[in-house]
Amino acid sequence: MESPTTLQQAIQFFGEYENCRQFMIAVRWPDGKVRCPQCESDKVTYLQAARLYRCYGDHPKQKFSLKVGTVFEDSPIGFDKWLPAVWLLVSCKNGISSYEVAAALGITQKSAWFMMHRIRLAMQSGSFRKLGGDGGEVEADETFIGGKARNMHVSKRQRRITGTGGKDKTAVMGILERGGEVRTVVVGSRRKNVLQTEVKKHVEAGAAVYTDALLSYDGLASVYAHQVIDHASQYVDGRVHTYGLENFWSLLKRGISGTYVSVEPFHLFRYLDEQTFRYNNRKDMENADRFKLALSQIVGKRLTYAEVTGKVGETSF
Ligand SMILES: [Zn+2]
């Protein structure tokens, strides 16, 4: 199947429902056999007029759409908008605001905002591989995100911040394997046990780990070849630095403050997932590859509006 390589082609291509259907089948079932989400049977019939499938198994919910069992489940928005929305989010280097997505796709900002959170869930890494194996070098560092809104005029502030919270800076920890991937995690504090638990969770024992002189990293040398950046000495070891992570932080902050204006701490990890996905998949990949990768991760995940907002009983549509 020919598939799109640019945003313009994607919008055109997915404007045809049949293309969306074939694409979704290829993503979800590489053998081409659509399976019932209830019983896994492939004895299903396509009901063209309703754009649904029907299973012959003896169970409720015999009819199902291709969205069932994915982050798109229960959404009244069509694939003609969902798929270009995924394209936009995986390909815009600094992210894209829900206002821009809404304008580009002809949907409400509220719908776009919710869609983007669902797409971020698909972008979440499921990798459990430890970093720094085989002599790899790892940088660990923390930064603070947010807090700017505190100085804004109150009416402007209320427009920019929905719900409660969002006033204080949130600590984020990053762990980067040089030449490899980055992991990010929102941490409640920069205490020793918090930061070292993350390092041990993500980094192979014995790896070279570089950090600044924060006391919370003291003691890592018992498990790692831990070296601390010495800003005071003029004889600095050229390998002992955290420039890789500092570069990532500046990308992240440019995206968050430039594109998203303000992010509630509650949602911060989703923006981290988004930026981390683009960063980890930046080399030797075209937008079309990132798009297919994100789509390969839509299955088996769900995010309801109540989960993302904490408001039960309200919908985005
Ligand atoms: Zn079935």
Side-chain angles (χ1 to χ4, degrees):
M1 177 184 45
E2 25 127 23
S3 52
T5 57
T6 66
L7 173 63
Q8 195 204 8
Q9 285 175 14
I11 290 170
Q12 204 169 17
F13 185 79
F14 296 121
E16 291 284 336
Y17 184 78
E18 191 53 25
N19 286 341
C20 298
R21 188 173 78 95
Q22 296 299 341
F23 202 89
M24 286 297 291
I25 292 172
V27 162
R28 299 194 57 182
W29 299 282
D31 65 2
K33 287 182 186 167
V34 175
R35 285 175 190 75
C36 168
Q38 298 292 322
C39 71
E40 288 292 312
S41 167
D42 62 7
K43 292 187 185 63
V44 298
T45 307
Y46 180 50
L47 310 171
Q48 194 172 5
R51 294 178 176 174
L52 294 173
Y53 284 81
R54 197 210 146 154
C55 174
Y56 293 91
D58 183 18
H59 58 68
K61 295 185 183 170
Q62 286 177 314
K63 288 182 185 173
F64 63 94
S65 84
L66 292 179
K67 289 177 185 163
V68 174
T70 74
V71 298
F72 307 145
E73 186 165 342
D74 285 343
S75 170
I77 305 267
F79 287 123
D80 59 330
K81 303 205 188 278
W82 266 114
L83 297 176
V86 174
W87 192 286
L88 282 167
L89 208 57
V90 302
S91 61
C92 294
K93 202 178 168 198
N94 292 327
I96 180 165
S97 76
S98 54
Y99 293 93
E100 290 171 277
V101 171
L105 301 181
I107 54 178
T108 66
Q109 182 267 335
K110 201 176 174 189
S111 292
W113 181 86
F114 183 36
M115 286 168 81
M116 289 165 75
H117 272 321
R118 293 205 207 183
I119 296 166
R120 290 184 185 109
L121 177 63
M123 292 165 89
Q124 204 170 68
S125 167
S127 173
F128 296 104
R129 184 182 72 85
K130 285 201 169 187
L131 307 178
D134 297 324
E137 293 173 296
V138 174
E139 300 175 17
D141 190 25
E142 342 73 48
T143 194
F144 287 92
I145 308 274
K148 273 185 193 163
R150 178 171 272 174
N151 302 321
M152 276 190 242
H153 186 265
V154 73
S155 62
K156 196 174 178 187
R157 206 173 101 186
Q158 277 164 350
R159 256 187 286 130
R160 291 186 173 183
I161 302 171
T162 52
T164 54
K167 286 176 195 159
D168 296 307
K169 286 183 180 283
T170 305
V172 174
M173 183 183 193
I175 299 171
L176 171 89
E177 183 181 65
R178 287 199 187 144
E181 58 184 284
V182 69
R183 304 271 168 83
T184 51
V185 54
V186 175
V187 285
S189 79
R190 295 198 297 164
R191 290 162 65 132
K192 186 172 188 165
N193 68 322
V194 173
L195 300 190
Q196 297 205 5
T197 298
E198 292 302 328
V199 172
K200 282 165 189 164
K201 188 171 149 194
H202 292 281
V203 185
E204 200 78 65
V209 174
Y210 307 132
T211 69
D212 61 20
L214 189 74
L215 286 175
S216 293
Y217 293 116
D218 258 14
L220 280 179
S222 64
V223 183
Y224 301 100
H226 180 213
Q227 285 188 273
V228 174
I229 301 158
D230 182 0
H231 292 292
S233 167
Q234 56 180 311
Y235 304 104
V236 173
D237 181 337
R239 304 208 68 79
V240 184
H241 61 78
T242 53
Y243 297 148
L245 265 178
E246 283 157 36
N247 173 49
F248 177 78
W249 294 143
S250 72
L251 267 172
L252 177 73
K253 288 177 181 181
R254 201 180 311 150
I256 288 178
S257 65
T259 309
Y260 298 117
V261 185
S262 77
V263 173
E264 284 183 72
F266 175 62
H267 293 127
L268 182 58
F269 73 98
R270 299 203 187 281
Y271 294 90
L272 293 175
D273 288 340
E274 179 197 324
Q275 190 65 47
T276 299
F277 175 93
R278 281 193 302 261
Y279 186 88
N280 287 342
N281 300 297
R282 72 197 184 284
K283 287 184 209 151
D284 308 319
M285 283 180 90
E286 302 294 335
N287 288 332
D289 303 318
R290 278 185 281 274
F291 173 72
K292 282 177 200 159
L293 177 63
L295 279 184
S296 75
Q297 301 181 170
I298 61 169
V299 182
K301 295 174 179 175
R302 278 200 71 186
L303 185 65
T304 65
Y305 195 65
E307 280 169 326
V308 76
T309 58
K311 295 173 193 163
V312 177
E314 209 179 291
T315 72
S316 72
F317 306 105

